[in-house]
Amino acid sequence: MLDLKEKIEELKRMLSGGAKRIVIVSHTNPDGDAVGSSLAWAHVLREMGHRVDCIVPNKYPYFLEWLSGIEHFLVFKERPEEAANAVNEAEMIFCLDFNRLDRLEALSDAILANEKAPRILIDHHLDAPDDYQLRFSYPETCSTSFLVYRIIEQMCGTELLDKASAEALYVGIMTDTGNFSFSTLTPEVYRAAAVLIERGVHVPYVNASVYNQFSEGRVRLLGYSICTKMQLIQQNQVAYIALKEAELRRFDFQQGDSEGFVNYPLTIAGVKMSAMFLQTRKFIRVSLRSRGDVDVNLFAARYFGGGGHKNAAGGKSFVSVEQTIEHYKKAVQEFFTENNWQ
């Protein structure tokens, strides 16, 4: 983050000159990092005197509903006119935890229509485009929530964080690091966690609120996914789970229920890559995870029009589940042969 200080000075300049109407947007199917970073950043901007709206394209997972302030989120799918008006009136637009506007689906049109408001990116995904007036883009960072923490720390001090905003940041860091287990962790991340705990985060409560509040249907869906739907291919080095709409309805699927399912095959010795195919009405959502040198960001970009990180990425498929699986199998064989992972 060699240029972080210079960018913060530019951000201070952009925020100066009195109270502003600000909108914070995050990606479709918002997760803990998207929600946590948005809540905390909104709190700090409001403390600075600005008027702030948080907007997400669709509903956040039910196991995040306990977070203070989340009830004020504008869900574009549920309140499109109100959300579009907020975007239209915005004097600044912050884009958190994504870097491509097409990840916002219909909401992206409203943002593109506002040509007067500068767009500021705060994100940790690879390959950020240039269509932002200011970019806090650091792919080496473990989460957008940690990046927001660093900005707050250097711009105004962590004393501005209250218990609720500290909890939001902790949730974002915790969920995007696999409960502090991924390789993107650094001593600075743990020091940030310590400060957030000092600001009031009660770790057992936060952990239980996120991970021990699932529905019965979600738990049964997980068992079904692992026992019945998980398949191993490529000499048992690669796994996939594919779930159709009818199967999801069978288990009373709610937004966020499949979160983390794609990680389970990676607990099997020898499995280097895992995929999750989730059928929706318009397309099949593709989630990819890997370990070691297997670059699923490259795989997602090449075969599913997506991207993300080296060991965590995603994309979309616009054909049937069966066709998607066949495409995946051929892609895996090609990808592994190319990289000599036989």
Side-chain angles (χ1 to χ4, degrees):
M1 296 189 185
L2 296 178
D3 59 342
L4 182 59
K5 290 184 179 180
E6 290 84 355
K7 291 182 179 180
I8 288 175
E9 289 304 314
E10 175 62 13
L11 179 58
K12 286 181 179 179
R13 185 195 66 76
M14 295 174 74
L15 288 168
S16 64
K20 289 180 169 55
R21 179 75 185 269
I22 295 174
V23 160
I24 297 172
V25 296
S26 196
H27 57 76
T28 303
N29 300 319
D31 55 12
D33 193 24
V35 169
S37 58
S38 296
L39 283 171
W41 188 232
H43 166 77
V44 168
L45 291 174
R46 290 178 184 127
E47 288 293 303
M48 296 171 65
H50 303 292
R51 180 182 174 187
V52 185
D53 287 305
C54 291
I55 303 176
V56 287
N58 61 341
K59 187 76 175 197
Y60 43 81
Y62 61 89
F63 51 81
L64 296 177
E65 290 178 348
W66 62 275
L67 284 165
S68 179
I70 198 172
E71 67 276 10
H72 300 304
F73 270 35
L74 285 173
V75 179
F76 185 82
K77 191 174 181 179
E78 299 174 355
R79 299 153 69 185
E81 290 187 10
E82 188 176 350
N85 287 337
V87 172
N88 182 58
E89 295 173 7
E91 298 172 84
M92 295 179 71
I93 299 174
F94 284 91
C95 300
L96 268 60
D97 203 37
F98 73 98
N99 55 32
R100 288 167 40 189
L101 288 177
D102 58 10
R103 288 208 67 188
L104 303 181
E105 300 180 352
L107 178 56
S108 62
D109 294 334
I111 294 173
L112 291 171
N114 185 339
E115 298 180 352
K116 68 181 187 298
R119 294 193 292 268
I120 298 94
L121 175 70
I122 305 179
D123 180 52
H124 70 129
H125 294 89
L126 295 166
D127 306 320
D130 295 325
D131 50 353
Y132 294 93
Q133 280 64 46
L134 184 60
R135 296 192 307 169
F136 293 88
S137 177
Y138 298 94
E140 72 277 10
T141 302
C142 73
S143 62
T144 297
S145 291
F146 176 63
L147 182 53
V148 167
Y149 172 88
R150 291 294 305 276
I151 294 170
I152 294 169
E153 181 184 45
Q154 295 191 32
M155 188 173 76
C156 50
T158 56
E159 294 79 11
L160 214 58
L161 294 171
D162 60 2
K163 180 182 177 182
S165 55
E167 285 178 335
L169 288 178
Y170 189 90
V171 165
I173 296 171
M174 178 183 75
T175 54
D176 244 34
T177 59
N179 213 353
F180 297 89
S181 64
F182 294 163
S183 60
T184 49
L185 292 166
T186 63
E188 289 75 19
V189 175
Y190 288 102
R191 280 191 277 270
V195 171
L196 296 175
I197 292 170
E198 289 174 347
R199 301 304 298 166
V201 172
H202 182 55
V203 173
Y205 170 76
V206 171
N207 193 81
S209 297
V210 173
Y211 295 119
N212 296 341
Q213 296 296 325
F214 297 126
S215 67
E216 178 186 350
R218 193 264 186 188
V219 176
R220 292 188 181 278
L221 178 62
L222 173 60
Y224 173 74
S225 299
I226 299 300
C227 183
T228 305
K229 302 296 292 184
M230 184 179 70
Q231 301 294 323
L232 296 179
I233 59 173
Q234 197 67 23
Q235 292 82 48
N236 293 338
Q237 296 181 90
V238 175
Y240 69 88
I241 298 169
L243 294 171
K244 296 183 177 182
E245 277 192 280
E247 293 171 306
L248 298 176
R249 288 195 296 269
R250 174 182 165 189
F251 293 95
D252 299 319
F253 182 81
Q254 300 179 59
Q255 174 61 37
D257 270 351
S258 62
E259 187 77 23
F261 282 18
V262 68
N263 295 314
Y264 281 92
L266 291 177
T267 64
I268 301 171
V271 174
K272 298 177 180 178
M273 178 175 167
S274 173
M276 178 86 181
F277 304 115
L278 201 68
Q279 187 181 42
T280 70
R281 292 181 180 178
K282 295 182 178 180
F283 55 84
I284 294 171
R285 186 153 58 94
V286 182
S287 299
L288 299 161
R289 299 293 185 271
S290 67
R291 55 183 175 185
D293 295 328
V294 179
D295 190 339
V296 290
N297 174 63
L298 178 61
F299 185 89
R302 183 182 299 178
Y303 299 107
F304 289 102
H309 303 280
K310 179 180 178 181
N311 298 123
K316 294 178 181 178
S317 173
F318 296 92
V319 294
S320 68
V321 172
E322 290 77 13
Q323 289 172 305
T324 299
I325 292 172
E326 287 306 308
H327 173 64
Y328 175 69
K329 289 179 178 179
K330 291 177 182 178
V332 164
Q333 185 175 26
E334 179 180 282
F335 194 67
F336 272 59
T337 300
E338 176 185 300
N339 290 280
N340 199 26
W341 289 324
Q342 301 295 336

mmCIF file of all heavy atoms in Angstrom, residues 1 3 7 33 97 99 121-129 135-144 146-147 176 183-186 297 308-312:
data_model
loop_
_atom_site.group_PDB
_atom_site.id
_atom_site.type_symbol
_atom_site.label_atom_id
_atom_site.label_comp_id
_atom_site.label_asym_id
_atom_site.label_seq_id
_atom_site.Cartn_x
_atom_site.Cartn_y
_atom_site.Cartn_z
ATOM 1 N N MET A 1 0.829 -1.211 0.000
ATOM 2 C CA MET A 1 0.000 0.000 0.000
ATOM 3 C C MET A 1 0.865 1.264 0.000
ATOM 4 O O MET A 1 0.685 2.176 0.787
ATOM 5 C CB MET A 1 -0.930 0.007 1.203
ATOM 6 C CG MET A 1 -1.948 -1.111 1.222
ATOM 7 S SD MET A 1 -3.154 -0.873 2.528
ATOM 8 C CE MET A 1 -4.097 -2.364 2.392
ATOM 9 N N ASP A 3 1.056 3.744 -2.002
ATOM 10 C CA ASP A 3 0.418 4.998 -2.387
ATOM 11 C C ASP A 3 -0.855 5.272 -1.606
ATOM 12 O O ASP A 3 -1.624 6.147 -1.975
ATOM 13 C CB ASP A 3 0.122 4.991 -3.880
ATOM 14 C CG ASP A 3 -0.792 3.846 -4.287
ATOM 15 O OD1 ASP A 3 -0.915 2.883 -3.510
ATOM 16 O OD2 ASP A 3 -1.389 3.937 -5.374
ATOM 17 N N LYS A 7 -3.494 8.644 -1.758
ATOM 18 C CA LYS A 7 -4.893 8.491 -2.143
ATOM 19 C C LYS A 7 -5.827 8.988 -1.045
ATOM 20 O O LYS A 7 -6.888 9.552 -1.326
ATOM 21 C CB LYS A 7 -5.185 7.032 -2.475
ATOM 22 C CG LYS A 7 -4.513 6.549 -3.750
ATOM 23 C CD LYS A 7 -4.864 5.114 -4.060
ATOM 24 C CE LYS A 7 -4.205 4.664 -5.358
ATOM 25 N NZ LYS A 7 -4.522 3.266 -5.715
ATOM 26 N N ASP A 33 -18.324 -9.526 3.797
ATOM 27 C CA ASP A 33 -17.360 -8.460 3.526
ATOM 28 C C ASP A 33 -18.034 -7.262 2.877
ATOM 29 O O ASP A 33 -17.763 -6.108 3.246
ATOM 30 C CB ASP A 33 -16.243 -8.999 2.631
ATOM 31 C CG ASP A 33 -15.048 -8.060 2.554
ATOM 32 O OD1 ASP A 33 -14.857 -7.258 3.488
ATOM 33 O OD2 ASP A 33 -14.292 -8.141 1.565
ATOM 34 N N ASP A 97 -16.145 -3.640 -2.569
ATOM 35 C CA ASP A 97 -16.042 -5.095 -2.665
ATOM 36 C C ASP A 97 -16.409 -5.637 -4.043
ATOM 37 O O ASP A 97 -16.834 -6.774 -4.169
ATOM 38 C CB ASP A 97 -16.870 -5.777 -1.578
ATOM 39 C CG ASP A 97 -16.381 -7.194 -1.286
ATOM 40 O OD1 ASP A 97 -15.158 -7.413 -1.326
ATOM 41 O OD2 ASP A 97 -17.209 -8.080 -1.041
ATOM 42 N N ASN A 99 -15.296 -4.585 -8.518
ATOM 43 C CA ASN A 99 -14.648 -3.581 -9.352
ATOM 44 C C ASN A 99 -15.298 -3.388 -10.725
ATOM 45 O O ASN A 99 -14.944 -2.470 -11.441
ATOM 46 C CB ASN A 99 -13.157 -3.875 -9.527
ATOM 47 C CG ASN A 99 -12.874 -5.260 -10.077
ATOM 48 O OD1 ASN A 99 -13.651 -5.795 -10.854
ATOM 49 N ND2 ASN A 99 -11.763 -5.847 -9.649
ATOM 50 N N LEU A 121 -13.507 3.649 -5.923
ATOM 51 C CA LEU A 121 -13.450 2.200 -5.732
ATOM 52 C C LEU A 121 -12.671 1.858 -4.468
ATOM 53 O O LEU A 121 -11.570 2.369 -4.251
ATOM 54 C CB LEU A 121 -12.766 1.549 -6.944
ATOM 55 C CG LEU A 121 -12.527 0.040 -6.857
ATOM 56 C CD1 LEU A 121 -13.855 -0.718 -6.932
ATOM 57 C CD2 LEU A 121 -11.591 -0.428 -7.966
ATOM 58 N N ILE A 122 -13.245 0.987 -3.632
ATOM 59 C CA ILE A 122 -12.537 0.407 -2.489
ATOM 60 C C ILE A 122 -12.732 -1.095 -2.594
ATOM 61 O O ILE A 122 -13.822 -1.608 -2.343
ATOM 62 C CB ILE A 122 -13.057 0.937 -1.139
ATOM 63 C CG1 ILE A 122 -12.994 2.476 -1.091
ATOM 64 C CG2 ILE A 122 -12.237 0.344 0.007
ATOM 65 C CD1 ILE A 122 -13.511 3.073 0.200
ATOM 66 N N ASP A 123 -11.672 -1.832 -2.973
ATOM 67 C CA ASP A 123 -11.862 -3.224 -3.336
ATOM 68 C C ASP A 123 -10.545 -3.989 -3.282
ATOM 69 O O ASP A 123 -9.462 -3.399 -3.310
ATOM 70 C CB ASP A 123 -12.442 -3.299 -4.754
ATOM 71 C CG ASP A 123 -12.682 -4.720 -5.213
ATOM 72 O OD1 ASP A 123 -13.345 -5.476 -4.475
ATOM 73 O OD2 ASP A 123 -12.199 -5.079 -6.299
ATOM 74 N N HIS A 124 -10.652 -5.319 -3.228
ATOM 75 C CA HIS A 124 -9.449 -6.159 -3.165
ATOM 76 C C HIS A 124 -9.444 -7.248 -4.230
ATOM 77 O O HIS A 124 -8.729 -8.245 -4.097
ATOM 78 C CB HIS A 124 -9.310 -6.779 -1.763
ATOM 79 C CG HIS A 124 -10.324 -7.829 -1.436
ATOM 80 N ND1 HIS A 124 -9.977 -9.062 -0.951
ATOM 81 C CD2 HIS A 124 -11.674 -7.830 -1.510
ATOM 82 C CE1 HIS A 124 -11.069 -9.778 -0.731
ATOM 83 N NE2 HIS A 124 -12.112 -9.051 -1.075
ATOM 84 N N HIS A 125 -10.217 -7.066 -5.295
ATOM 85 C CA HIS A 125 -10.231 -8.041 -6.378
ATOM 86 C C HIS A 125 -9.260 -7.646 -7.486
ATOM 87 O O HIS A 125 -8.904 -6.479 -7.630
ATOM 88 C CB HIS A 125 -11.644 -8.194 -6.941
ATOM 89 C CG HIS A 125 -12.605 -8.792 -5.967
ATOM 90 N ND1 HIS A 125 -13.334 -8.028 -5.081
ATOM 91 C CD2 HIS A 125 -12.937 -10.078 -5.709
ATOM 92 C CE1 HIS A 125 -14.088 -8.817 -4.332
ATOM 93 N NE2 HIS A 125 -13.863 -10.069 -4.683
ATOM 94 N N LEU A 126 -8.869 -8.623 -8.283
ATOM 95 C CA LEU A 126 -7.908 -8.401 -9.351
ATOM 96 C C LEU A 126 -8.524 -7.647 -10.528
ATOM 97 O O LEU A 126 -9.735 -7.629 -10.707
ATOM 98 C CB LEU A 126 -7.359 -9.743 -9.848
ATOM 99 C CG LEU A 126 -6.519 -10.554 -8.851
ATOM 100 C CD1 LEU A 126 -6.350 -11.979 -9.360
ATOM 101 C CD2 LEU A 126 -5.160 -9.896 -8.647
ATOM 102 N N ASP A 127 -7.647 -7.005 -11.309
ATOM 103 C CA ASP A 127 -8.006 -6.426 -12.604
ATOM 104 C C ASP A 127 -9.075 -5.344 -12.506
ATOM 105 O O ASP A 127 -10.097 -5.371 -13.206
ATOM 106 C CB ASP A 127 -8.477 -7.525 -13.571
ATOM 107 C CG ASP A 127 -7.459 -8.647 -13.714
ATOM 108 O OD1 ASP A 127 -6.261 -8.335 -13.764
ATOM 109 O OD2 ASP A 127 -7.869 -9.820 -13.756
ATOM 110 N N ALA A 128 -8.833 -4.362 -11.664
ATOM 111 C CA ALA A 128 -9.780 -3.246 -11.555
ATOM 112 C C ALA A 128 -9.716 -2.382 -12.814
ATOM 113 O O ALA A 128 -8.636 -2.030 -13.276
ATOM 114 C CB ALA A 128 -9.447 -2.397 -10.332
ATOM 115 N N PRO A 129 -10.860 -2.024 -13.404
ATOM 116 C CA PRO A 129 -10.867 -1.155 -14.588
ATOM 117 C C PRO A 129 -10.498 0.280 -14.227
ATOM 118 O O PRO A 129 -10.384 0.633 -13.048
ATOM 119 C CB PRO A 129 -12.319 -1.260 -15.072
ATOM 120 C CG PRO A 129 -13.106 -1.598 -13.853
ATOM 121 C CD PRO A 129 -12.203 -2.458 -13.005
ATOM 122 N N ARG A 135 -9.104 5.134 -7.054
ATOM 123 C CA ARG A 135 -9.139 3.677 -6.871
ATOM 124 C C ARG A 135 -8.292 3.263 -5.669
ATOM 125 O O ARG A 135 -7.085 3.462 -5.651
ATOM 126 C CB ARG A 135 -8.618 2.953 -8.117
ATOM 127 C CG ARG A 135 -9.450 3.142 -9.352
ATOM 128 C CD ARG A 135 -9.035 2.164 -10.440
ATOM 129 N NE ARG A 135 -7.600 2.216 -10.718
ATOM 130 C CZ ARG A 135 -6.939 1.335 -11.460
ATOM 131 N NH1 ARG A 135 -7.567 0.306 -11.972
ATOM 132 N NH2 ARG A 135 -5.654 1.468 -11.685
ATOM 133 N N PHE A 136 -8.938 2.706 -4.668
ATOM 134 C CA PHE A 136 -8.246 1.996 -3.600
ATOM 135 C C PHE A 136 -8.351 0.510 -3.952
ATOM 136 O O PHE A 136 -9.246 -0.194 -3.475
ATOM 137 C CB PHE A 136 -8.883 2.278 -2.243
ATOM 138 C CG PHE A 136 -8.744 3.697 -1.767
ATOM 139 C CD1 PHE A 136 -9.687 4.659 -2.128
ATOM 140 C CD2 PHE A 136 -7.671 4.080 -0.977
ATOM 141 C CE1 PHE A 136 -9.565 5.963 -1.697
ATOM 142 C CE2 PHE A 136 -7.542 5.391 -0.541
ATOM 143 C CZ PHE A 136 -8.486 6.339 -0.908
ATOM 144 N N SER A 137 -7.486 0.061 -4.818
ATOM 145 C CA SER A 137 -7.553 -1.310 -5.337
ATOM 146 C C SER A 137 -6.290 -2.054 -4.929
ATOM 147 O O SER A 137 -5.201 -1.790 -5.448
ATOM 148 C CB SER A 137 -7.689 -1.282 -6.861
ATOM 149 O OG SER A 137 -7.678 -2.590 -7.390
ATOM 150 N N TYR A 138 -6.444 -3.010 -3.992
ATOM 151 C CA TYR A 138 -5.302 -3.738 -3.453
ATOM 152 C C TYR A 138 -5.623 -5.230 -3.370
ATOM 153 O O TYR A 138 -6.107 -5.719 -2.347
ATOM 154 C CB TYR A 138 -4.935 -3.187 -2.071
ATOM 155 C CG TYR A 138 -4.517 -1.737 -2.095
ATOM 156 C CD1 TYR A 138 -5.438 -0.724 -1.850
ATOM 157 C CD2 TYR A 138 -3.207 -1.395 -2.393
ATOM 158 C CE1 TYR A 138 -5.057 0.607 -1.894
ATOM 159 C CE2 TYR A 138 -2.814 -0.060 -2.430
ATOM 160 C CZ TYR A 138 -3.736 0.936 -2.183
ATOM 161 O OH TYR A 138 -3.353 2.253 -2.231
ATOM 162 N N PRO A 139 -5.363 -5.967 -4.451
ATOM 163 C CA PRO A 139 -5.703 -7.400 -4.492
ATOM 164 C C PRO A 139 -4.982 -8.236 -3.443
ATOM 165 O O PRO A 139 -5.454 -9.331 -3.106
ATOM 166 C CB PRO A 139 -5.275 -7.814 -5.908
ATOM 167 C CG PRO A 139 -5.314 -6.560 -6.704
ATOM 168 C CD PRO A 139 -4.874 -5.489 -5.758
ATOM 169 N N GLU A 140 -3.865 -7.751 -2.938
ATOM 170 C CA GLU A 140 -3.142 -8.517 -1.929
ATOM 171 C C GLU A 140 -3.786 -8.425 -0.547
ATOM 172 O O GLU A 140 -3.411 -9.153 0.386
ATOM 173 C CB GLU A 140 -1.687 -8.026 -1.837
ATOM 174 C CG GLU A 140 -1.490 -6.655 -1.199
ATOM 175 C CD GLU A 140 -1.701 -5.482 -2.155
ATOM 176 O OE1 GLU A 140 -2.189 -5.721 -3.293
ATOM 177 O OE2 GLU A 140 -1.391 -4.341 -1.764
ATOM 178 N N THR A 141 -4.775 -7.550 -0.396
ATOM 179 C CA THR A 141 -5.451 -7.357 0.880
ATOM 180 C C THR A 141 -6.465 -8.468 1.122
ATOM 181 O O THR A 141 -7.150 -8.915 0.199
ATOM 182 C CB THR A 141 -6.169 -5.992 0.889
ATOM 183 O OG1 THR A 141 -5.206 -4.968 0.644
ATOM 184 C CG2 THR A 141 -6.831 -5.735 2.229
ATOM 185 N N CYS A 142 -6.588 -8.919 2.357
ATOM 186 C CA CYS A 142 -7.430 -10.076 2.683
ATOM 187 C C CYS A 142 -8.912 -9.822 2.470
ATOM 188 O O CYS A 142 -9.680 -10.751 2.230
ATOM 189 C CB CYS A 142 -7.187 -10.526 4.123
ATOM 190 S SG CYS A 142 -7.874 -9.416 5.378
ATOM 191 N N SER A 143 -9.346 -8.562 2.576
ATOM 192 C CA SER A 143 -10.770 -8.250 2.475
ATOM 193 C C SER A 143 -10.942 -6.760 2.257
ATOM 194 O O SER A 143 -10.066 -5.955 2.596
ATOM 195 C CB SER A 143 -11.514 -8.674 3.747
ATOM 196 O OG SER A 143 -11.002 -7.953 4.863
ATOM 197 N N THR A 144 -12.092 -6.390 1.721
ATOM 198 C CA THR A 144 -12.413 -4.971 1.588
ATOM 199 C C THR A 144 -12.588 -4.344 2.963
ATOM 200 O O THR A 144 -12.241 -3.184 3.172
ATOM 201 C CB THR A 144 -13.686 -4.797 0.743
ATOM 202 O OG1 THR A 144 -13.438 -5.306 -0.573
ATOM 203 C CG2 THR A 144 -14.092 -3.340 0.637
ATOM 204 N N PHE A 146 -10.916 -4.986 5.688
ATOM 205 C CA PHE A 146 -9.597 -4.618 6.219
ATOM 206 C C PHE A 146 -9.076 -3.367 5.520
ATOM 207 O O PHE A 146 -8.459 -2.497 6.139
ATOM 208 C CB PHE A 146 -8.605 -5.770 6.055
ATOM 209 C CG PHE A 146 -7.209 -5.426 6.499
ATOM 210 C CD1 PHE A 146 -6.934 -5.103 7.811
ATOM 211 C CD2 PHE A 146 -6.157 -5.405 5.587
ATOM 212 C CE1 PHE A 146 -5.651 -4.771 8.235
ATOM 213 C CE2 PHE A 146 -4.875 -5.088 5.984
ATOM 214 C CZ PHE A 146 -4.614 -4.758 7.309
ATOM 215 N N LEU A 147 -9.320 -3.259 4.219
ATOM 216 C CA LEU A 147 -8.901 -2.068 3.488
ATOM 217 C C LEU A 147 -9.624 -0.833 4.004
ATOM 218 O O LEU A 147 -9.014 0.231 4.189
ATOM 219 C CB LEU A 147 -9.164 -2.273 1.994
ATOM 220 C CG LEU A 147 -8.746 -1.162 1.043
ATOM 221 C CD1 LEU A 147 -7.292 -0.764 1.241
ATOM 222 C CD2 LEU A 147 -8.987 -1.603 -0.399
ATOM 223 N N ASP A 176 -14.293 -13.260 5.081
ATOM 224 C CA ASP A 176 -13.499 -13.311 3.855
ATOM 225 C C ASP A 176 -12.138 -13.980 4.055
ATOM 226 O O ASP A 176 -11.408 -14.177 3.084
ATOM 227 C CB ASP A 176 -13.296 -11.908 3.281
ATOM 228 C CG ASP A 176 -13.947 -11.752 1.922
ATOM 229 O OD1 ASP A 176 -15.005 -12.370 1.707
ATOM 230 O OD2 ASP A 176 -13.407 -11.029 1.066
ATOM 231 N N SER A 183 -4.438 -17.724 3.392
ATOM 232 C CA SER A 183 -3.041 -17.316 3.239
ATOM 233 C C SER A 183 -2.857 -15.811 3.131
ATOM 234 O O SER A 183 -1.727 -15.322 3.185
ATOM 235 C CB SER A 183 -2.445 -17.972 1.986
ATOM 236 O OG SER A 183 -3.153 -17.585 0.826
ATOM 237 N N THR A 184 -3.940 -15.049 2.959
ATOM 238 C CA THR A 184 -3.829 -13.601 2.821
ATOM 239 C C THR A 184 -3.669 -12.891 4.164
ATOM 240 O O THR A 184 -3.588 -11.669 4.206
ATOM 241 C CB THR A 184 -5.078 -13.035 2.124
ATOM 242 O OG1 THR A 184 -6.244 -13.571 2.762
ATOM 243 C CG2 THR A 184 -5.100 -13.412 0.656
ATOM 244 N N LEU A 185 -3.601 -13.643 5.238
ATOM 245 C CA LEU A 185 -3.476 -13.042 6.563
ATOM 246 C C LEU A 185 -2.056 -12.525 6.793
ATOM 247 O O LEU A 185 -1.075 -13.133 6.385
ATOM 248 C CB LEU A 185 -3.840 -14.065 7.635
ATOM 249 C CG LEU A 185 -5.320 -14.479 7.651
ATOM 250 C CD1 LEU A 185 -5.524 -15.723 8.486
ATOM 251 C CD2 LEU A 185 -6.179 -13.331 8.175
ATOM 252 N N THR A 186 -1.974 -11.387 7.459
ATOM 253 C CA THR A 186 -0.696 -10.763 7.805
ATOM 254 C C THR A 186 -0.758 -10.316 9.265
ATOM 255 O O THR A 186 -1.850 -10.255 9.852
ATOM 256 C CB THR A 186 -0.438 -9.532 6.921
ATOM 257 O OG1 THR A 186 -1.466 -8.546 7.172
ATOM 258 C CG2 THR A 186 -0.427 -9.906 5.438
ATOM 259 N N ASN A 297 -8.730 -17.732 -10.615
ATOM 260 C CA ASN A 297 -9.022 -16.443 -11.239
ATOM 261 C C ASN A 297 -8.811 -16.552 -12.744
ATOM 262 O O ASN A 297 -9.656 -16.126 -13.534
ATOM 263 C CB ASN A 297 -8.120 -15.358 -10.656
ATOM 264 C CG ASN A 297 -8.291 -14.028 -11.374
ATOM 265 O OD1 ASN A 297 -9.360 -13.430 -11.359
ATOM 266 N ND2 ASN A 297 -7.227 -13.570 -12.029
ATOM 267 N N GLY A 308 -11.712 -12.943 -10.004
ATOM 268 C CA GLY A 308 -11.694 -12.846 -8.543
ATOM 269 C C GLY A 308 -10.291 -12.838 -8.022
ATOM 270 O O GLY A 308 -9.496 -11.937 -8.318
ATOM 271 N N HIS A 309 -9.928 -13.884 -7.271
ATOM 272 C CA HIS A 309 -8.596 -14.043 -6.708
ATOM 273 C C HIS A 309 -7.982 -15.344 -7.205
ATOM 274 O O HIS A 309 -8.657 -16.171 -7.816
ATOM 275 C CB HIS A 309 -8.655 -14.073 -5.172
ATOM 276 C CG HIS A 309 -9.307 -12.866 -4.574
ATOM 277 N ND1 HIS A 309 -8.655 -11.677 -4.409
ATOM 278 C CD2 HIS A 309 -10.571 -12.670 -4.106
ATOM 279 C CE1 HIS A 309 -9.473 -10.795 -3.858
ATOM 280 N NE2 HIS A 309 -10.646 -11.371 -3.670
ATOM 281 N N LYS A 310 -6.711 -15.522 -6.893
ATOM 282 C CA LYS A 310 -6.022 -16.732 -7.328
ATOM 283 C C LYS A 310 -6.709 -17.988 -6.806
ATOM 284 O O LYS A 310 -6.874 -18.972 -7.538
ATOM 285 C CB LYS A 310 -4.567 -16.719 -6.855
ATOM 286 C CG LYS A 310 -3.779 -17.971 -7.249
ATOM 287 C CD LYS A 310 -2.345 -17.900 -6.746
ATOM 288 C CE LYS A 310 -1.586 -19.172 -7.115
ATOM 289 N NZ LYS A 310 -0.190 -19.139 -6.622
ATOM 290 N N ASN A 311 -7.118 -17.994 -5.540
ATOM 291 C CA ASN A 311 -7.716 -19.184 -4.936
ATOM 292 C C ASN A 311 -9.210 -19.070 -4.671
ATOM 293 O O ASN A 311 -9.799 -19.955 -4.057
ATOM 294 C CB ASN A 311 -6.995 -19.536 -3.628
ATOM 295 C CG ASN A 311 -5.535 -19.870 -3.831
ATOM 296 O OD1 ASN A 311 -4.658 -19.254 -3.235
ATOM 297 N ND2 ASN A 311 -5.250 -20.846 -4.682
ATOM 298 N N ALA A 312 -9.819 -17.988 -5.138
ATOM 299 C CA ALA A 312 -11.271 -17.817 -4.964
ATOM 300 C C ALA A 312 -11.790 -16.915 -6.072
ATOM 301 O O ALA A 312 -11.384 -15.761 -6.177
ATOM 302 C CB ALA A 312 -11.586 -17.222 -3.603
#
